[in-house]
Amino acid sequence: MKRRDFLKKAAVGAVAAGAAPAVLAQSNKKIRWRMATSWPKAFDTIYGGAETVAARVKAMTGGQFEIIPYAGGELVGGLEVFDAVSQGTVQMGHTASYYYVGKNPAFGFDTAIPFGLTYRQQNAWLYNGGGIEAMRKIYAQHNIVNFPAGNTGVQMGGWFRKEVNTLADLQGLKMRIPGLGGKVMSRLGVTVQVLAGGEIYPALERGVIDATEWVGPYDDEKAGFYKVAKYYYHPGWWEPAPTLSLYVNQKAWDSLPKEYQEIVASAAAEANLDMMVDYDSKNPKALNSLVSKGVEMREFSQEILEAARKEAYALYDELAAGDAQFKSIYEGWKAFKEESDPWFNTAETSYSRFNFK
Ligand code: CA
């Protein structure tokens, strides 16, 4: 009998007999792990992804497997999660893989790249389109086993002190925008600034920067950017559906009982859904609240969107030409997207266009 079948039958038997679900856990050892994250606790939607993983693993093992999440900076810096998991300083991490594109630009695909996939497409690519397997080949070189474990959905384009309508308006504009989105903006003439979270608000207030991107209405309202920049742009084409990732140190993973491995995988998948649900229920209220405070909503012009998309794909072609690993993932990813886009442009789009009015 296959193990999966055995587990199914065992679970059915337990329910029929009225036995406690802790039967499985009692046969397993007590484990306590530390999870480093890249997030402040105040960032409750994203930090919530780490908490979901910990809470579900604890519940599903009857309290036997305990994972303690730590905010960025508590154990290691927010951008040091990759190294901490890779070196085994901690057993687990919750972070965004695109923070580590400096190590390998292909990590961008694990999170989001400009003009990439939406939440539904990203999940289809990761779970069914060979995405996770492709990413795992790279992570294996760093002693990490990775899982999708959260998503923000399409982000907002951010806060601008002045309107930007044409490509000419972008020339010399000082914007805080990290990662590949920043590289594309830079190719369009924007002066890209990289600022840590806490430095953004005062820089925008004093006019040291003209614009900043952040996440979406719920997180942005808490950050208070509407008080110092009145135009709120969409969409955040550089982050259509960033996936947050759960990392497990390979040796720690190998030491887990098989049942616990299955439970970790389930908890990560649950966090991947739960964070999206959290954002999708909190963002609508926050958007209404921002509009009621006088925020001016603006959509990026076709001229800006088309030029940005052209530069994004020119950048990917350049990266693929110089990096065989990037090229191999990019080709599979692009083929998946080219097949997926026309389908999403059919029922989903015609329904959305008619209904969201
Ligand atoms: Ca962002």
Side-chain angles (χ1 to χ4, degrees):
M1 190 186 287
K2 282 186 187 155
R3 190 172 56 84
R4 190 178 285 270
D5 295 340
F6 171 77
L7 283 177
K8 248 185 227 159
K9 289 211 165 68
V12 168
V15 170
V23 165
L24 177 67
Q26 280 166 2
S27 66
N28 281 314
K29 55 182 175 178
K30 182 116 184 150
I31 298 177
R32 196 179 159 95
W33 275 11
R34 299 191 303 168
M35 182 204 281
T37 78
S38 298
W39 330 115
K41 285 181 184 162
F43 217 5
D44 64 288
T45 34
I46 289 191
Y47 186 77
E51 289 181 314
T52 299
V53 171
R56 295 303 296 145
V57 166
K58 190 174 178 184
M60 287 190 271
T61 58
Q64 291 296 95
F65 185 3
E66 210 175 338
I67 297 161
I68 316 293
Y70 292 86
E74 282 189 320
L75 293 175
V76 296
L79 302 181
E80 291 161 8
V81 173
F82 184 104
D83 287 339
V85 176
S86 179
Q87 291 157 12
T89 313
V90 291
Q91 295 89 353
M92 220 176 223
H94 192 259
T95 186
S97 302
Y98 66 2
Y99 291 151
Y100 313 106
V101 290
K103 294 178 190 292
N104 189 330
F107 285 131
F109 293 105
D110 201 36
T111 313
I113 63 172
F115 295 100
L117 308 172
T118 63
Y119 176 62
R120 299 254 310 270
Q121 292 180 302
Q122 173 81 349
N123 282 336
W125 178 68
L126 284 168
Y127 292 116
N128 269 13
I132 291 181
E133 289 82 357
M135 294 312 309
R136 281 197 176 154
K137 280 187 197 150
I138 305 180
Y139 280 106
Q141 298 162 6
H142 300 273
N143 307 312
I144 292 173
V145 183
N146 60 296
F147 298 87
N151 203 300
T152 68
V154 184
Q155 294 201 355
M156 288 293 286
W159 300 88
F160 290 70
R161 287 162 61 94
K162 286 176 290 189
E163 283 189 80
V164 289
N165 298 308
T166 64
L167 288 170
D169 294 336
L170 294 181
Q171 302 311 305
L173 183 93
K174 296 189 288 290
M175 181 172 186
R176 180 267 176 194
I177 172 170
L180 290 175
K183 284 197 172 28
V184 174
M185 280 292 198
S186 164
R187 291 165 80 114
L188 295 175
V190 170
T191 304
V192 171
Q193 314 266 325
V194 179
L195 300 173
E199 300 168 9
I200 304 171
Y201 184 94
L204 193 60
E205 185 178 32
R206 295 200 315 272
V208 174
I209 54 172
D210 307 305
T212 186
E213 70 87 49
W214 191 234
V215 183
Y218 179 72
D219 296 315
D220 291 15
E221 186 179 30
K222 280 202 292 183
F225 299 129
Y226 65 92
K227 294 174 197 159
V228 288
K230 131 173 132 169
Y231 299 103
Y232 195 21
Y233 273 82
H234 60 95
W237 45 261
W238 45 92
E239 288 178 280
T243 298
L244 292 312
S245 294
L246 180 73
Y247 292 171
V248 186
N249 173 271
Q250 181 75 57
K251 223 167 126 187
W253 176 255
D254 293 340
S255 76
L256 283 182
K258 284 278 176 260
E259 290 85 346
Y260 283 13
Q261 290 183 346
E262 296 286 340
I263 284 167
V264 168
S266 282
E270 204 170 329
N272 197 31
L273 171 68
D274 192 59
M275 191 190 297
M276 193 68 262
V277 168
D278 207 20
Y279 271 115
D280 282 341
S281 53
K282 287 173 173 169
N283 277 329
K285 292 182 184 74
L287 180 63
N288 286 340
S289 166
L290 286 168
V291 169
S292 76
K293 287 170 178 162
V295 165
E296 298 260 352
M297 304 300 296
R298 291 288 184 276
E299 193 169 353
F300 282 121
S301 65
Q302 285 296 302
E303 180 184 336
I304 288 174
L305 287 172
E306 277 167 21
R309 181 163 62 184
K310 199 168 148 232
E311 288 302 335
Y313 281 85
L315 173 66
Y316 308 148
D317 288 340
E318 284 168 26
L319 286 168
D323 183 332
Q325 223 163 31
F326 185 94
K327 184 168 186 263
S328 74
I329 294 187
Y330 178 52
E331 281 174 352
W333 178 93
K334 202 174 170 200
F336 173 89
K337 185 175 187 299
E338 279 166 5
E339 187 177 61
S340 174
D341 284 357
W343 159 235
F344 276 93
N345 195 30
T346 308
E348 288 291 332
T349 300
S350 62
Y351 178 73
S352 301
R353 202 168 38 224
F354 177 78
N355 195 51
F356 294 163
K357 279 183 180 156

